[in-house]
Structures are given as structure tokens and as C-alpha cells.
Amino acid sequence: MKRNLRILSAEEHVDDGSPSVLQLANDADPLAIEVCLQDIERIDLNFPKFTDGRAYSQAHLLRIRLKFKGAIRARGEVLVDMMQLLARTGFDEVILRGDQSPAFAQKALDLFEPVGFYQGDVAETRPWFLRSAA
């Protein structure tokens, strides 16, 4: 199952206080919210700094261990350089930092298409050599 990463503008990000949207703090343990995930449609994960990658781990835990099927959105200091890893760790949507180009972000996402990556990720867990043998 291939996941497509949507690039949103700041204007498209609406925080209306909906109870179906959870904003998970950067230092929170996703495993602690397992009991309430069935009522959640979207989880917003924050990148407070470009060098802080804890939200990657949170997204991976939500997808792999908790089998979360809703949307996971990246916000904060989200840069074009992060697009590939965001897609591979389970994010569905990103809000780029204001000085980042959506066109360059899309180009970064398309860089390895259609071949893909050698390693597995949250969307395709098999490594490339197993996929090509099937």
C-alpha cells in the first residue's frame, strides 16, 4: 500500500478544536493514547526544530504498532529535505515552513519514483529484492 503525502499550505491547516483531531506533543508517548485512537481521524505531530526527529518515531509507532489508519499531519519546522522520510514513516500530510517551496517538496517526493527504496517502510515492509522476486 503506497501512501501519498499531501503538501498543504498554512491556510489549508484548520485547527477548529475538533474532538476527532489530536495534537500530540513532541515528547508524548503514542502508546499511551491507544485506548482513544478509534475516535481520532487525524493526529498532528509537531517538529519544533529541524533537528528534532521524535515525530518520525511517533508516526512510525502509530502506523506499525497501533495500526492507526487516520491521517497523520506534520507541522512546525517542516523542510523540503524531510519529505522522503516523512512519507516513509507514515505521514499523510505536511504543512511546510513558510520559506519552503511546495514545488521543490513535490520534486523531492518524486525523486525515487517509480522504483522506490531498497529498504522497507511503513507502506511497504518488504525490501526491494523481495518485492522484485514476487
Side-chain angles (χ1 to χ4, degrees), residues 1-92:
M1 172 179 90
K2 184 177 179 336
R3 297 194 87 85
N4 293 318
L5 192 61
R6 286 185 51 219
I7 302 166
L8 304 173
S9 67
E11 293 80 30
E12 291 175 291
H13 173 68
V14 177
D15 184 10
D16 59 2
S18 171
S20 65
V21 176
L22 177 66
Q23 294 185 22
L24 195 60
N26 191 260
D27 58 354
D29 182 3
L31 301 175
I33 62 163
E34 183 175 10
V35 295
C36 68
L37 282 181
Q38 69 275 3
D39 300 325
I40 303 297
E41 294 175 13
R42 186 182 87 215
I43 297 177
D44 292 354
L45 300 178
N46 188 38
F47 286 88
K49 293 190 251 181
F50 170 70
T51 57
D52 188 340
R54 290 178 283 182
Y56 292 123
S57 299
Q58 289 173 317
H60 189 265
L61 285 171
L62 286 163
R63 293 289 184 218
I64 298 298
R65 288 200 192 161
L66 301 178
K67 308 291 187 219
F68 180 66
K69 302 291 184 206
I72 299 177
R73 182 177 289 182
R75 37 183 258 172
E77 293 292 307
V78 180
L79 308 181
V80 168
D81 299 2
M82 301 163 67
M83 293 299 105
Q84 289 290 336
L85 193 52
L86 289 167
R88 298 187 71 208
T89 54
F91 285 89
D92 298 291

